[in-house]
């Protein structure tokens, strides 16, 4: 019975690691596309709308999107199941000294993940769902004008603040998650541990700063101090 539970936990951790690394890869692609919003307005609109149309119309990218949806759901479900199992195990021990040897964000991955899940629901509603099923105007090239949808969303300072806070949660989630995923899959060799650690930190900071800069820049240039 204990062996079965152990195997089940390990298989879930492996799946969570694989889906997590795929999501890490997707974040890079997503960020590169969104960085077009930092272009001058006259170029950003056409470039970003073409990018959005490509993502929704290319059959290969559509297939990747199904892998993305599966990864998001599987990652969240596995995290929930593993967290509940870990709590049951931890409840059997009177004393737990993990706080002395682990970072606070590594002990609160469940909270960070919950914040990100709530943000993703809002993010999908405001952009993905609206683009797919809403009444989105078209630009002069005939593409759905997701650019104006983004501008409207980042008009509100509180929405920008919410977005940045979610990206901070993502950054802390990645700081622990990337190293944990590599280690779970057996790729964390002691000889290269420091390089993995450094890469994980650089990656986490780059993703966090990159996604955070975009809404702040759009808000300031379109509606704020620089307008």
């Amino acid at each position: 019975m204990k062996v079965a539970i152990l195997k089940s936990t390990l298989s879930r951790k492996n799946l969570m690691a694989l889906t997590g690394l795929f999501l890490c890869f997707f974040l890079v692609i997503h960020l590169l596309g969104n960085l077009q919003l930092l272009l001058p307005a006259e170029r950003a609109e056409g470039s970003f709308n073409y990018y959005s149309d490509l993502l929704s119309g290319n059959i290969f990218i559509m297939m990747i999107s199904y892998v993305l949806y599966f990864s998001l759901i599987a990652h969240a479900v596995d995290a929930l199941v593993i967290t509940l199992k870990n709590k049951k195990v931890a409840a059997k021990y009177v004393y737990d000294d993990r706080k002395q040897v682990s970072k606070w964000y590594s002990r609160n991955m469940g909270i960070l993940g919950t914040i990100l899940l709530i943000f993703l629901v809002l993010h999908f509603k405001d952009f993905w769902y609206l683009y797919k099923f809403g009444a989105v105007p078209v630009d002069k090239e005939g593409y759905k004008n997701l650019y104006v949808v983004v501008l409207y969303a980042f008009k509100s300072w509180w929405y920008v603040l919410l977005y940045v806070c979610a990206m901070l949660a993502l950054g802390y989630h990645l700081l622990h998650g990337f190293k944990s995923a590599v280690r779970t899959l057996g790729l964390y060799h002691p000889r290269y541990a420091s390089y993995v650690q450094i890469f994980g930190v650089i990656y986490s900071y780059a993703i966090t700063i990159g996604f955070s800069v975009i809404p702040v820049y759009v808000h300031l240039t379109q509606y704020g101090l620089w307008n």
Side-chain angles (χ1 to χ4, degrees):
M1 183 65 178
K2 290 183 179 179
V3 174
I5 293 175
L6 179 60
K7 287 183 177 179
S8 175
T9 302
L10 287 175
S11 62
R12 286 192 176 279
K13 284 188 175 181
N14 286 334
L15 179 59
M16 190 164 68
L18 288 171
T19 54
L21 290 178
F22 174 80
L23 293 173
C24 286
F25 170 74
F26 170 78
L27 284 172
V28 175
I29 303 302
H30 192 41
L31 177 59
L32 291 176
N34 285 5
L35 285 177
Q36 296 175 90
L37 293 168
L38 301 181
L39 294 172
E42 61 274 10
R43 292 179 55 196
E45 181 176 3
S47 181
F48 186 71
N49 289 338
Y50 172 77
Y51 157 74
S52 302
D53 182 75
L54 179 65
L55 291 183
S56 64
N58 185 284
I59 185 64
F60 175 74
I61 296 178
M62 288 177 65
M63 292 172 62
I64 295 296
S65 68
Y66 291 122
V67 179
L68 170 65
Y69 304 147
F70 168 79
S71 296
L72 286 171
I73 295 172
H75 194 76
V77 171
D78 279 351
L80 177 61
V81 172
I82 292 172
T83 299
L84 292 176
K85 285 186 176 181
N86 288 343
K87 283 188 175 181
K88 287 183 179 180
V89 173
K92 297 180 180 179
Y93 298 91
V94 177
Y95 179 69
D96 186 356
D97 64 348
R98 284 178 300 172
K99 292 183 180 180
Q100 299 180 15
V101 296
S102 62
K103 301 290 187 179
W104 70 267
Y105 51 81
S106 67
R107 301 192 306 271
N108 293 280
M109 289 292 281
I111 296 175
L112 294 171
T114 300
I115 294 173
L116 292 175
L117 183 60
I118 294 172
F119 170 76
L120 279 175
V121 172
L122 295 174
H123 192 67
F124 270 77
K125 178 185 73 69
D126 292 339
F127 298 104
W128 179 85
Y129 182 84
L130 184 60
Y131 185 84
K132 289 287 187 178
F133 307 106
V136 179
V138 297
D139 63 13
K140 59 183 180 181
E141 301 295 332
Y143 300 124
K144 285 187 177 182
N145 203 332
L146 188 62
Y147 180 74
V148 297
V149 175
V150 172
L151 293 187
Y152 180 79
F154 292 153
K155 181 178 181 179
S156 302
W157 67 266
W158 62 266
Y159 192 91
V160 173
L161 181 61
L162 174 66
Y163 196 102
V164 172
C165 287
M167 292 306 101
L168 290 175
L170 173 64
Y172 283 117
H173 195 77
L174 291 172
L175 277 174
H176 174 76
F178 180 83
K179 183 174 68 174
S180 179
V182 172
R183 180 177 292 167
T184 298
L185 296 174
L187 305 175
Y188 199 76
H189 192 280
R191 181 181 298 178
Y192 311 111
S194 60
Y195 298 106
V196 173
Q197 177 72 18
I198 293 172
F199 179 83
V201 170
I202 293 175
Y203 170 82
S204 301
Y205 274 82
I207 291 294
T208 303
I209 295 172
F211 276 113
S212 297
V213 163
I214 293 171
V216 174
Y217 174 83
V218 171
H219 180 79
L220 291 179
T221 55
Q222 295 294 326
Y223 311 105
L225 298 176
W226 301 346
N227 192 343

